């Protein structure tokens, strides 16, 4: 179990990432550059861990956004009903992803244990720990830079392969 200090470092890391993006918005809106630095009391994860945290977060959002886009497109094209669309969009991002070929009427199935789509499973496997900030699980499972970069490369391949599968 993580101690209080480690939990603070983790949530401070989320807050730091949010603040960095808010700072970027401020600079864009006001056409300026701020030299202000921010170091929350209690510390943060190191740079590599924060980058992995952000990458996992945005990859999970990208997976779900892509799946929801395809599901919505299938509804717009009359290939699934509104009710089927809504039901599919309630599924977990991983379940949606692997159901997409079936919803599109394709026979090909995607493999969650090998190939590029394994990255979808690996990234989505961290989603609940990340979104619900399950400190102990997240701290043990957060990938290092090399693994996260590999997952990201495979995710790009999975996106490209999904385009081929769905035509």
């Amino acid at each position: 179990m993580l101690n209080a200090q480690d939990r603070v470092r983790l949530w401070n890391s989320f807050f730091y990432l949010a603040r960095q993006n808010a700072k970027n918005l401020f600079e864009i809106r006001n056409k300026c550059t701020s030299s202000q630095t921010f170091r929350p009391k209690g510390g943060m994860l190191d740079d590599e861990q924060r980058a992995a945290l952000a990458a996992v977060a945005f990859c999970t959002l990208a997976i779900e956004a892509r799946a929801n886009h395809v599901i919505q497109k299938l509804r717009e094209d009359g290939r699934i009903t509104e009710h089927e669309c809504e039901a599919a969009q309630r599924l977990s991002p991983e379940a949606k992803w692997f159901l997409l070929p079936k919803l599109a009427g394709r026979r090909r199935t995607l493999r969650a244990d090998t190939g590029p789509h394994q990255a979808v499973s690996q990234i989505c496997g961290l989603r609940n720990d990340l979104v619900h900030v399950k400190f102990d699980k997240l701290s043990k499972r957060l990938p290092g830079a090399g693994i996260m970069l590999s997952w990201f490369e495979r995710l790009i391949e999975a996106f490209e392969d999904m385009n081929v599968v769905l035509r």
Side-chain angles (χ1 to χ4, degrees), residues 70-82 84-85 100-106 165-167:
V70 171
I71 291 165
Q72 188 66 35
K73 181 88 169 92
L74 292 170
R75 190 205 54 78
E76 290 167 357
D77 293 347
R79 298 176 76 185
I80 62 173
T81 66
E82 181 68 30
E84 291 166 329
C85 175
L100 288 175
K102 284 258 191 260
L103 287 173
R106 303 291 184 248
V165 170
L166 300 177
R167 285 187 220 119

Side-chain angles (χ1 to χ4, degrees), residues 5-20 36-47 50 53:
Q5 182 179 5
D6 288 336
R7 290 192 309 267
V8 167
R9 288 179 48 240
L10 185 58
W11 86 261
N12 274 347
S13 296
F14 277 114
F15 184 58
Y16 175 83
L17 292 166
R19 188 188 181 284
Q20 286 300 102
Q36 254 188 341
T37 58
F38 174 69
R39 291 282 168 198
K41 291 180 183 175
M44 295 180 290
L45 300 175
D46 65 34
D47 291 345
R50 278 196 320 275
L53 194 69

Side-chain angles (χ1 to χ4, degrees), residues 14 56 60 64 92-94 121-135 137-138 141:
F14 277 114
V56 169
T60 61
E64 187 153 24
S92 71
E94 183 177 13
S121 288
Q122 291 165 318
I123 292 166
C124 287
L126 289 174
R127 179 192 176 274
N128 281 348
D129 297 344
L130 179 78
V131 171
H132 300 292
V133 193
K134 295 179 181 177
F135 290 105
K137 290 181 179 181
L138 190 57
R141 297 179 59 211

Side-chain angles (χ1 to χ4, degrees), residues 25-114:
L25 286 171
F26 176 85
E27 291 172 349
I28 291 166
R29 183 170 190 208
N30 293 292
K31 296 177 178 65
C32 68
T33 301
S34 171
S35 60
Q36 254 188 341
T37 58
F38 174 69
R39 291 282 168 198
K41 291 180 183 175
M44 295 180 290
L45 300 175
D46 65 34
D47 291 345
E48 182 177 317
Q49 291 170 316
R50 278 196 320 275
L53 194 69
V56 169
F58 286 115
C59 284
T60 61
L61 290 171
I63 291 164
E64 187 153 24
R66 175 71 173 133
N68 282 347
H69 165 72
V70 171
I71 291 165
Q72 188 66 35
K73 181 88 169 92
L74 292 170
R75 190 205 54 78
E76 290 167 357
D77 293 347
R79 298 176 76 185
I80 62 173
T81 66
E82 181 68 30
H83 183 72
E84 291 166 329
C85 175
E86 289 175 11
Q89 288 183 330
R90 285 189 207 109
L91 297 171
S92 71
E94 183 177 13
K96 288 177 202 182
W97 186 265
F98 288 97
L99 187 61
L100 288 175
K102 284 258 191 260
L103 287 173
R106 303 291 184 248
R107 289 186 178 204
R108 180 169 166 207
T109 58
L110 307 175
R111 301 265 325 250
D113 59 341
T114 61

